[in-house]
Amino acid sequence: MYRSDELLKARITEQLKEREIRPEERPAFHLTPRTGWMNDPNGFSWYQGEYHMFYQYYPYDTQWGPMHWGHAVSSDLIRWENRPCALAPDSFPDREAGCFSGGAAALPDGSHLLMYTGCRREQHLDGTICDVQTQNLAVGDGTDYHKYAGNPVLTELDLPEGGSRIDFRDPKLWQEADGSWRCVAANRAEDETGQLLLFTSPDAFNWTYLSKLAVNHGRFGKMWECPDYFELDGKSVILISPQDMEPNALGFHAGNNVLCMLGHLGEENEDGCFREETVLPVDDGIDFYATQSVLSPDGRRILVGWMQNWDTVSYREENAKWFGQVSLPRELTIRNGRLMQNPVRELEQYRTEKAERYNVRVDDGRSFADAVLSGKTADVTFEIHAEKNCREVEIRFAEGGDHYCAAVYRPEEQTLTIDRSHSGVIRDVLHTRTASVASHNGCLKLRMILDRFSVEIFINDGESVMSMTHYSDPEADGISVRARGEASLNITRYLLRL
Ligand code: FRU
């Protein structure tokens, strides 16, 4: 198979450079780039008996650069094995800025299809430069991919009137029950805010425009990125990542968010437009963006995101040779008209050394710390019962010396705050975020998935999630609880060992 110089150079670089990173300098079970920079997960798919995860990748630096697609595979969504770099910016539609985000699917003939955005830089006679985005294909066998000779397969000529050719990206494709293909891509409309375009194809190679699936009209940020669409528990679901959002009470935060729209896109919707019923944030933490989902062979809808935030990427380990992580895969369901998210059940096989404490009492003079309950890579559940006078329950983790990260529950306000500002940070970027939570029968349940460089808190069995990266001392593995006013807790901790 032909491999371009750009692809060979990336493959040699990652092979050489990944050796400079010791396993303990990476997360234990979150996927990171082999070397250099990672942003969005891409092409999350089930192909030939394995999950494939690709990602936006720049192997030459820990900053964003012309985009490649990194690649890893897994049989259980927890343990990832690297494959060689899959795509490099080596063809006309993607040569300058690279191969941007997209999806993947298994084709009926047994090959693996990648659909991605090519971003090319166009220089005009007056010297100005603009990026032009088109949709492109690559076909492969799970390791090597060749770009389709008919690229690009969707261009500005396929856009509805007023659609921008500069912001037209992140195709996500799937096959319908009748064998035909659909793809949804993000686009900037005339009003300068996002819209989602639906395309159709008989064979996944020849595409035509179908409809506007959803239109922002300036309601949720400006441009929308990384769309996804699927059916789940009797609802149609759209996921999108808006840029430039304004905060809204404790719902959305400023900047980049991920939104979930629940509604309907049935055959009755002849215009091909989604009927929106509810719009909710997908993650209330600091670091979560640009999601991708896959349908597992046993019928679960599984979601991952880039566990980062574009506005806080300057917060990082100064000398690390990798940057960017994929979130822990989450199982999605819908309950009471709400998106529920829980860690994939595959994580449970890595639980060991269970430790439990019941009815732990904490108050102003009495905190709780127990060496038996420590853990840097751990799955810890807290059931917090706040007494009437309780103003605050603070759970510290990744604690060592004066440094710690915290999750602070304020029962009277019904809020949870995550906070990494005491983890040893030396950069003044945003380090804390507060979200609304709801106790049930006086109890708030937090399942905290701790890895070396992150925490993901699943609240009340998946009603909401808060994700946050941190770069605390590798030895800092303490877990402790304190309170203002009185509270009692049940704590179950497992270490996670791979
Ligand atoms: C989202 C995003 C995508 C784009 C990619 C480029 O984080 O901006 O819209 O395809 O990153 O790396």
Side-chain angles (χ1 to χ4, degrees):
M1 172 172 303
Y2 167 76
R3 298 188 185 100
S4 68
D5 289 350
E6 290 84 351
L7 186 65
L8 287 174
K9 186 174 157 213
R11 288 184 169 192
I12 291 167
T13 302
E14 62 188 7
Q15 256 186 27
L16 291 174
K17 290 282 187 182
E18 73 183 348
R19 295 187 206 150
E20 296 173 11
I21 308 174
R22 287 180 285 124
E24 60 274 21
E25 292 172 337
R26 294 183 184 270
F29 52 92
H30 286 85
L31 182 65
T32 48
R34 288 181 74 169
T35 178
W37 164 275
M38 161 197 281
N39 56 290
D40 318 354
N42 294 155
F44 192 18
S45 51
W46 174 258
Y47 173 67
Q48 288 189 344
E50 286 175 311
Y51 292 99
H52 286 251
M53 183 91 77
F54 301 83
Y55 51 87
Q56 290 286 280
Y57 180 36
Y58 187 60
Y60 307 109
D61 197 350
T62 54
Q63 306 288 344
W64 192 93
M67 283 288 105
H68 298 59
W69 275 35
H71 187 191
V73 294
S74 175
S75 58
D76 67 4
L77 297 159
I78 305 295
R79 217 186 255 279
W80 293 95
E81 188 189 305
N82 288 315
R83 287 268 164 98
C85 176
L87 299 177
D90 55 11
S91 72
F92 177 75
D94 55 47
R95 198 171 326 266
E96 293 86 14
C99 305
F100 279 18
S101 287
L107 287 176
D109 71 357
S111 54
H112 199 198
L113 182 73
L114 313 184
M115 188 171 195
Y116 68 96
T117 299
C119 191
R120 127 179 102 80
R121 224 140 256 174
E122 197 178 75
Q123 180 139 22
H124 298 161
L125 288 174
D126 63 1
T128 54
I129 291 176
C130 81
D131 283 358
V132 178
Q133 301 186 334
T134 56
Q135 313 321 318
N136 296 268
L137 301 174
V139 182
D141 60 2
T143 302
D144 288 304
Y145 294 83
H146 62 85
K147 292 182 180 168
Y148 176 51
N151 281 343
V153 295
L154 285 171
T155 70
E156 59 192 276
L157 301 176
D158 301 291
L159 291 171
E161 210 188 317
S164 158
R165 65 189 194 125
I166 295 170
D167 286 299
F168 175 32
R169 59 180 173 271
D170 308 341
K172 167 81 198 242
L173 80 163
W174 69 92
Q175 194 167 22
E176 291 283 324
D178 67 2
S180 66
W181 293 82
R182 297 282 181 283
C183 127
V184 57
N187 182 231
R188 183 156 49 86
E190 237 158 354
D191 70 356
E192 298 293 316
T193 74
Q195 58 184 358
L196 302 187
L197 306 181
L198 200 56
F199 298 89
T200 178
S201 169
D203 54 7
F205 289 86
N206 297 287
W207 291 91
T208 43
Y209 171 69
L210 200 61
S211 62
K212 289 187 185 179
L213 180 66
V215 183
N216 187 0
H217 292 311
R219 295 170 302 153
F220 304 107
K222 293 187 179 158
M223 176 60 186
W224 286 351
E225 303 189 300
C226 302
D228 200 349
Y229 171 83
F230 48 85
E231 301 285 320
L232 182 67
D233 298 337
K235 291 269 177 211
S236 303
V237 183
I238 288 179
L239 296 176
I240 35 155
S241 296
Q243 296 178 312
D244 307 313
M245 277 189 80
E246 280 190 39
N248 137 350
L250 295 179
F252 301 113
H253 56 81
N256 294 110
N257 284 256
V258 183
L259 308 193
C260 163
M261 296 180 168
L262 301 182
H264 280 285
L265 177 72
E267 274 165 15
E268 69 279 12
N269 301 8
E270 278 168 17
D271 56 1
C273 293
F274 179 82
R275 302 283 183 271
E276 215 175 277
E277 290 167 3
T278 21
V279 181
L280 291 165
V282 173
D283 195 293
D284 293 322
I286 300 176
D287 297 301
F288 193 76
Y289 192 62
T291 52
Q292 275 269 314
S293 79
V294 70
L295 192 63
S296 70
D298 59 2
R300 289 173 291 157
R301 179 59 61 174
I302 297 170
L303 184 76
V304 292
W306 180 40
M307 198 162 45
Q308 271 304 146
N309 177 338
W310 282 110
D311 287 326
T312 60
V313 290
S314 60
Y315 167 57
R316 51 172 61 212
E317 198 142 63
E318 307 279 323
N319 299 317
K321 296 193 166 65
W322 62 266
F323 182 79
Q325 307 178 52
V326 178
S327 72
L328 180 69
R330 307 170 177 182
E331 288 180 19
L332 305 183
T333 50
I334 292 177
R335 203 169 69 206
N336 301 332
R338 193 184 174 113
L339 185 75
M340 306 292 290
Q341 308 174 70
N342 280 293
V344 282
R345 60 196 69 167
E346 285 85 344
L347 184 69
E348 288 160 29
Q349 62 195 315
Y350 296 103
R351 285 168 160 182
T352 77
E353 294 172 60
K354 182 176 185 184
E356 283 172 297
R357 295 287 180 277
Y358 286 107
N359 204 17
V360 171
R361 298 202 69 81
V362 280
D363 58 36
D364 301 83
R366 206 168 14 158
S367 57
F368 168 83
D370 183 339
V372 177
L373 252 87
S374 62
K376 189 80 181 186
T377 56
D379 182 345
V380 199
T381 299
F382 297 86
E383 287 165 6
I384 309 174
H385 298 267
E387 314 277 327
K388 272 212 175 63
N389 66 353
C390 183
R391 294 174 308 286
E392 193 173 288
V393 178
E394 178 181 348
I395 297 167
R396 294 188 179 177
F397 56 96
E399 187 173 23
D402 294 338
H403 293 151
Y404 59 89
C405 295
V408 182
Y409 172 43
R410 296 200 175 87
E412 290 164 350
E413 297 166 13
Q414 291 284 287
T415 59
L416 187 72
T417 300
I418 49 171
D419 189 350
R420 63 188 176 200
S421 45
H422 302 283
S423 62
V425 297
I426 53 168
R427 294 270 80 85
D428 189 25
V429 294
L430 181 114
H431 293 303
T432 163
R433 179 155 288 143
T434 298
S436 298
V437 291
S439 58
H440 298 303
N441 300 323
C443 174
L444 184 78
K445 187 170 170 189
L446 305 180
R447 180 169 172 202
M448 301 180 44
I449 308 296
L450 309 180
D451 200 346
R452 294 191 186 107
F453 304 102
S454 64
V455 60
E456 289 153 289
I457 308 180
F458 294 84
I459 299 153
N460 291 335
D461 297 309
E463 278 176 7
S464 57
V465 192
M466 295 178 86
S467 303
M468 176 179 85
T469 58
H470 62 81
Y471 301 95
S472 58
D473 184 331
E475 305 298 320
D477 66 352
I479 296 173
S480 65
V481 188
R482 61 210 71 220
R484 293 201 295 131
E486 280 172 83
S488 76
L489 296 93
N490 296 331
I491 310 172
T492 308
R493 189 236 46 195
Y494 298 88
L495 294 181
L496 291 169
R497 285 203 207 284
L498 271 76

